[in-house]
Amino acid sequence: MSNYHIKNLEEYYQVYRKSVRFPEVFWEEIAEEHFQWYKRWDKVLEWDFTKPEVKWFQGAKLNITENCLDRHLRIRGDKTAILFEPNNPDEPSQHITYKQLHARVNKMANVLKSEGIQKGDRVCIYLPMIPELAFAILACARIGAIHSVVFAGFSSTALATRINDCDCKLVITSDGSYRGSKTIDLKGIVDEALEKCPNVSSVLVVNRIDSKIEMKEGRDKWLQPLLDEAFDECTPEVMDAEDPLFILYTSGSTGKPKGMVHTTAGYMVYTAYTFKNIFQYREQDIYWCTADIGWITGHSYIVYGPLANGATSVMFEGVPSYPDFGRFWEIVDKHKVTQFYTAPTAIRALAKEGVEHIEKFDLSSLKVLGTVGEPINEEAWHWYDDNIGKKKSPIVDTWWQTETGGVMISPIPFATPTKPTYATLPFPGIQPALMDENGSEIHGNQVDGRLCIKFPWPSMARTIWGNHERYRDTYFSAFQNKYFTGDGALRDEVGYYRITGRVDDVIIVSGHNLGTAPIEDAINEHPAVAESAIVGYPHDIKGNALYGYVTLKETGEYRNQDNLRKEINQLITEMIGPIAKLDKIQFTAGLPKTRSGKIMRRILRKIASGETTNLGDTSTLLNPEVVQEIMDNVLK
Ligand code: PRX
């Protein structure tokens, strides 16, 4: 039996049991059968969660681009690898075949080399969703450089922090980007960021919007002329299994973003294996994930997972609302998309616009629908099932994280019966545990607790760049010998998991992880602000929205200061990006605190969510009087 393609529930349980009883045999078989290695591993797994240290396929030598590109050339060289759909529907789609992708990646790899980039160097990629973004990622992997993609919605300050944190030498960007009817001056943002990044010696610029931009002499170069000159063969660098492949930043509960480090072999094996099973991928399929490659979903399930399987992966530059709310469905119809993977926030936004945007299009090609990034509410789940899947396409509600590299809990279509709002069962190889607040595992079903994973899996992040101690403290110290996800979950009577949301200071807004600390740091930069606290509250489309409580240094007439609200949001936009702007800002005389000086966010969260009576235990409050004042002036 090949355990690569699971076809029914019985087989799932069989494979799952094997993956838990004999994890090394299980992963070794998958690694052996489905990938190309220059040298086989000496040891499948070595691990110690107390350090923490995890090594998969030690001693093996490979290059991930050989697995994503070269090996497909002979059998599917003329098959479309990347199907690029531009922002403007009148601009033609691009069908980039495996042969073409191979050549472009090789050329870009040679350009990077000629810019002095070597194995182990960090390269920052700050690009919109255009094919060059995929080429750049794979070009780095080809030569063993570590890519650090920064989502092109982040501000110059956020970009500079990320460039400096991992000391990138080179930045790949574009003159600008299209976003619906607007253009964004990406190069201007990069220029501003680089004023604070002394170690960046070169910037390669893609011409996407034909805008007039400043090119800094000696630092900036247009990419295309260099590609035109470059040779289209570049021998892949021989990489160790545990060599870093990329760094991707995620928010945390302190101000500094965490550069999650993913390594080569385990990441490749796990993303390819999950891709094939979760989407029940078949050779003729046209797979589309609407995420941005600036997030982990795009890394694993637009680029590496699909390409390792020789799939056709759609890459969409635009937004779901341009030129109108039918755009997604028009693309599904146009390219006969078979698997469609998106975020609950997009589903809710589209549901609000009504079904007339769907009815114009033929969605009968769809076989599997996916969601990711945040809990999906029941209403959105049914809307998706009824209107997009027409009740015949299973919905895979996939739970995972930047840190996990690949999907951890998800139905397998046509095998696992789905249940709205449940991510259902752990993937083969994944051993979840629910923990109580005292650190004990909660056994049995119909229970809820903090979600941990008690055994390593191949695509887990290995460290935080430059700060292994923070990696240990954040993920391996709350519960002994377990990886703590930061999420709460419940397990129902048949063992299905439902993720209930974050239990830390991270708030998921429109599927984006936002740490409260970096936002508070940005607000506190304002000269008029004394202190602030951010909480999330339920929002129909975004899932959560951000509510800020801000106290000012001058307490005079403070409540209705609309200018100040604008300035605060402007500051957040400059320091993080527009995704972190607050929906509501309430100026308060004080913030509720415990006697030890900690802000009681629990109370603030309840008030922001409209709760006024049952605030829970307030006996430890130092200043109960501020609570009443806050409740009296809460913003509806
Ligand atoms: O809280 C969980 C939520 O998103 C967090 C991870 O965010 P990020 O690292 O940005 O990665 C998102 C894409 C993989 C998780 O800790 N989350 C993700 N998927 C789900 C989810 N919550 C509920 N259901 C999901 N399917």
Side-chain angles (χ1 to χ4, degrees), residues 250 296-297 372-375 397-403 485 487 499 502 508 513:
T250 187
I296 191 71
T297 306
V372 59
E374 56 186 310
D397 176 355
T398 63
W399 172 81
W400 58 297
Q401 310 178 292
T402 306
E403 295 86 339
T485 64
D487 283 325
I499 313 303
R502 302 290 310 182
I508 303 188
N513 270 14

Side-chain angles (χ1 to χ4, degrees), residues 584-630:
K584 292 181 188 172
I585 301 177
Q586 179 180 358
F587 296 111
T588 67
L591 298 172
K593 293 197 179 154
T594 61
R595 289 198 175 83
S596 58
K598 274 185 86 172
I599 297 171
M600 283 185 90
R601 288 167 198 280
R602 175 172 56 78
I603 291 181
L604 294 174
R605 223 175 276 135
K606 286 205 161 167
I607 297 175
S609 311
E611 178 101 43
T612 47
T613 44
N614 183 15
L615 293 182
D617 182 9
T618 53
S619 61
T620 55
L621 264 181
L622 178 69
N623 49 353
E625 69 287 354
V626 304
V627 174
Q628 193 56 48
E629 199 261 331
I630 292 175

Side-chain angles (χ1 to χ4, degrees), residues 471-581:
Y471 178 65
R472 185 180 59 226
D473 290 350
T474 311
Y475 303 105
F476 295 89
S477 66
F479 301 98
Q480 216 186 6
N481 237 347
K482 290 180 182 65
Y483 166 83
F484 176 43
T485 64
D487 283 325
L490 57 87
R491 190 162 53 218
D492 77 357
E493 61 287 353
V494 296
Y496 276 16
Y497 288 86
R498 176 187 182 166
I499 313 303
T500 47
R502 302 290 310 182
V503 293
D504 57 7
D505 288 337
V506 171
I507 304 170
I508 303 188
V509 179
S510 298
H512 299 143
N513 270 14
L514 298 171
T516 52
I519 305 176
E520 289 162 5
D521 289 350
I523 300 172
N524 299 348
E525 288 280 306
H526 194 289
V529 171
E531 231 187 348
S532 59
I534 304 300
V535 297
Y537 67 96
H539 186 278
D540 284 353
I541 291 175
K542 300 179 183 186
N544 293 297
L546 297 177
Y547 195 114
Y549 298 91
V550 178
T551 61
L552 301 177
K553 287 179 183 155
E554 302 268 339
T555 49
E557 197 25 65
Y558 58 88
R559 264 178 221 139
N560 298 310
Q561 301 222 26
D562 279 342
N563 285 348
L564 209 48
R565 289 195 174 94
K566 278 197 197 115
E567 284 169 24
I568 286 172
N569 266 333
Q570 184 56 31
L571 249 177
I572 295 174
T573 306
E574 280 164 21
M575 294 192 60
I576 303 168
I579 51 174
K581 281 204 292 195

Side-chain angles (χ1 to χ4, degrees), residues 369-407:
L369 302 177
T371 81
V372 59
E374 56 186 310
I376 181 164
N377 50 309
E378 192 140 358
E379 200 181 336
W381 195 98
H382 284 295
W383 184 88
Y384 200 28
D385 189 35
D386 294 347
N387 296 292
I388 308 305
K390 321 283 183 202
K391 287 197 159 67
K392 69 170 177 57
S393 302
I395 295 177
V396 290
D397 176 355
T398 63
W399 172 81
W400 58 297
Q401 310 178 292
T402 306
E403 295 86 339
T404 69
V407 172

